[in-house]
Amino acid sequence: MNTFSSSSGYASCSACEDGTTTNDATGQSTCSDCPAGSYVDSESGECTECSLGYYSSDPKQTSCTKCVANTFADELGSLSCADCQSGTTSAAGASSCATCPAGSYVHNGQCLVCPAGKFSAEDFSTSCVPCVKNTYSDEGSNSCDPCNSGETSVAGSSSCLACPAGSYVDSDSGDCTECAVGTFSDSDHSLSCTNCILNTFTDSTGSTGCAPCEQGSTTAGIGATTCAVCIAGNYINGGGVCTACPVGTFSASKSTTCTNCAANTFNDNEGAISCDSCGSGETSVAGSSSCLACSAGSYVDDSVPAQCTSCPAGTFSDSSKSTSCTDCAANTFSATTGSTSCTSCEDGTTSVAGATVCTNCPAGSFVDESGECTQCSAGTFAASSKSTECSLCSAGKYSSANATACTACAMNTFSSSSGSASCSPCEDGTTNDATGQSTCSDCPAGSYVDSESGECTEC
């Protein structure tokens, strides 16, 4: 087998040429070529079809050729290898091509996984696509995942970067962007920046917090880049707003509160920087927007601020806005506080200046034109108190000064007229035998005046 002699008379048989065979027969005069798609099996010597994944394109082959990578032969006895379809691959000697799945791609006949930062969404891919901005992928991904909130990435990224405090992810550009002046972010992963609250500010970009305004200054609103001083006449209210001081108060600049006007001062305008003194005869309590005129019967006492003081008894004020009270004049009085005038003393009574009561002139005296109690002069009397004049002693009587009654002239004395301060003795040879006489009588002839008895005595 696999030998031949082509003519008669050979002493031996010749071996078949490579690639030819006698096809398992002896006594052959020729060898036959193995056809394309087959080869001469070295062991059996027979023509054998090329196995799957192998081919022979020409006859007379002693072996079949292995299909190269990315080609295949899926039939026995193949004359050639077919190319793998796009997106599939095979190793050398393959009888079929394998699908390259999503997340991988075909490169040089190999199915390779997409590197991190790239992806392939479908089977049969020949390349991987970079992840777009603000997405990322791990190795072998069939899609890209969006960055977490507050993170960003460039195209083709395998991970996302958290925007640091002081920045945020710009929704339009997708970039980490510094916070603008007047705003801040105090943590990573911020999607936006926060306005500085009232009375805080930041004047630089990329801020992680806002600074408080110094005492007495404020901002016009939220998101401020500077603070403004609260000017005199204003204060920072509980809401942090610079507000005009109400009437009755005032302030200096940078104030957090307004100060009440002191007693006896006022202001009637909002936003005042000082208070005005009350006018003469006016007063006020602390924090007043106006002053009160002290009414008649009262006055402003500087030692007792913030109130009108009633005039004490014995004094008066007859008009409003008085700064003092006037003593009642002599022979007048005021018995109560807060008097607007004084009352004249009754007839027969008197008083000194500033009196709270009138005093009765005692018996033996009277109220003179000056209003004073004056003793009755000799020869006059006042029998009771509250007299407005003294009465003359009648003839036959007399009195000394300050008398409350007249005294009858003693016997042998007389007063011939009213108003006598004393009695006169009867002339010699005259007498009267009774008291209180206004005349003396002559002793008749034949009698005389007894010196002891004072009477007319017969001779």
Side-chain angles (χ1 to χ4, degrees):
M1 191 172 64
N2 288 336
T3 61
F4 74 97
S5 62
S6 59
S7 60
S8 59
Y10 275 87
S12 61
C13 293
S14 302
C16 290
E17 294 179 5
D18 289 342
T20 63
T21 184
T22 59
N23 289 318
D24 198 24
T26 58
Q28 299 297 313
S29 59
T30 60
C31 293
S32 300
D33 295 341
C34 281
S38 65
Y39 70 100
V40 177
D41 185 289
S42 61
E43 293 183 359
S44 67
E46 296 178 353
C47 283
T48 304
E49 288 182 323
C50 290
S51 302
L52 299 177
Y54 289 81
Y55 75 98
S56 65
S57 57
D58 296 316
K60 299 178 66 176
Q61 300 299 312
T62 58
S63 63
C64 292
T65 304
K66 184 185 292 186
C67 290
V68 298
N70 291 327
T71 64
F72 71 100
D74 58 356
E75 294 179 354
L76 295 174
S78 292
L79 301 181
S80 62
C81 296
D83 293 332
C84 291
Q85 292 181 356
S86 177
T88 62
T89 187
S90 68
S95 61
S96 63
C97 295
T99 298
C100 207
S104 61
Y105 70 106
V106 176
H107 179 69
N108 292 333
Q110 292 182 304
C111 188
L112 303 178
V113 295
C114 291
K118 294 184 177 182
F119 76 101
S120 63
E122 299 177 352
D123 299 340
F124 309 113
S125 295
T126 59
S127 63
C128 297
V129 180
C131 292
V132 297
K133 186 176 182 178
N134 291 332
T135 64
Y136 74 100
S137 70
D138 297 324
E139 186 179 64
S141 296
N142 59 12
S143 63
C144 296
D145 296 318
C147 290
N148 292 327
S149 177
E151 296 180 342
T152 186
S153 69
V154 297
S157 292
S158 60
S159 63
C160 295
L161 174 68
C163 287
S167 65
Y168 71 104
V169 177
D170 186 291
S171 59
D172 294 327
S173 68
D175 296 330
C176 282
T177 304
E178 285 190 330
C179 292
V181 291
T183 67
F184 74 100
S185 69
D186 56 3
S187 62
D188 298 341
H189 299 88
S190 294
L191 295 178
S192 62
C193 296
T194 304
N195 283 324
C196 291
I197 62 173
L198 195 67
N199 292 332
T200 65
F201 77 102
T202 173
D203 56 3
S204 59
T205 59
S207 295
T208 59
C210 300
C213 294
E214 66 176 2
Q215 181 173 328
S217 60
T218 185
T219 58
I222 61 174
T225 59
T226 59
C227 296
V229 171
C230 203
I231 62 173
N234 296 270
Y235 74 106
I236 307 294
N237 68 13
V241 177
C242 191
T243 305
C245 288
V247 293
T249 66
F250 71 100
S251 73
S253 63
K254 296 186 178 182
S255 294
T256 56
T257 58
C258 296
T259 303
N260 281 331
C261 291
N264 293 332
T265 66
F266 78 102
N267 69 54
D268 55 3
N269 293 313
E270 292 183 343
I273 61 175
S274 63
C275 298
D276 299 319
S277 296
C278 290
S280 178
E282 296 179 334
T283 187
S284 68
V285 296
S288 291
S289 60
S290 61
C291 294
L292 172 68
C294 289
S295 60
S298 65
Y299 72 107
V300 175
D301 185 344
D302 291 337
S303 66
V304 185
Q307 68 182 54
C308 293
T309 302
S310 295
C311 290
T315 66
F316 74 101
S317 68
D318 58 3
S319 63
S320 62
K321 298 187 178 182
S322 295
T323 57
S324 63
C325 296
T326 304
D327 284 342
C328 290
N331 294 321
T332 65
F333 75 101
S334 65
T336 59
T337 60
S339 294
T340 59
S341 63
C342 296
T343 304
S344 297
C345 291
E346 294 180 352
D347 289 346
T349 63
T350 187
S351 68
V352 295
T356 59
V357 294
C358 292
T359 304
N360 294 338
C361 283
S365 65
F366 73 103
V367 179
D368 66 13
E369 292 179 354
S370 66
E372 296 180 357
C373 285
T374 303
Q375 290 182 348
C376 290
S377 60
T380 64
F381 73 99
S384 62
S385 62
K386 298 177 65 175
S387 295
T388 56
E389 61 181 7
C390 294
S391 301
L392 295 173
C393 289
S394 61
K397 294 182 179 182
Y398 73 99
S399 70
S400 58
N402 201 31
T404 59
C406 294
T407 303
C409 291
M411 283 193 315
N412 292 325
T413 63
F414 73 99
S415 63
S416 59
S417 60
S418 59
S420 295
S422 62
C423 295
S424 302
C426 291
E427 293 180 2
D428 288 344
T430 64
T431 185
N432 57 45
D433 58 0
T435 60
Q437 300 299 306
S438 60
T439 60
C440 292
S441 302
D442 293 340
C443 283
S447 65
Y448 68 101
V449 177
D450 185 291
S451 58
E452 293 179 2
S453 65
E455 296 178 353
C456 288
T457 301
E458 289 180 347
C459 293

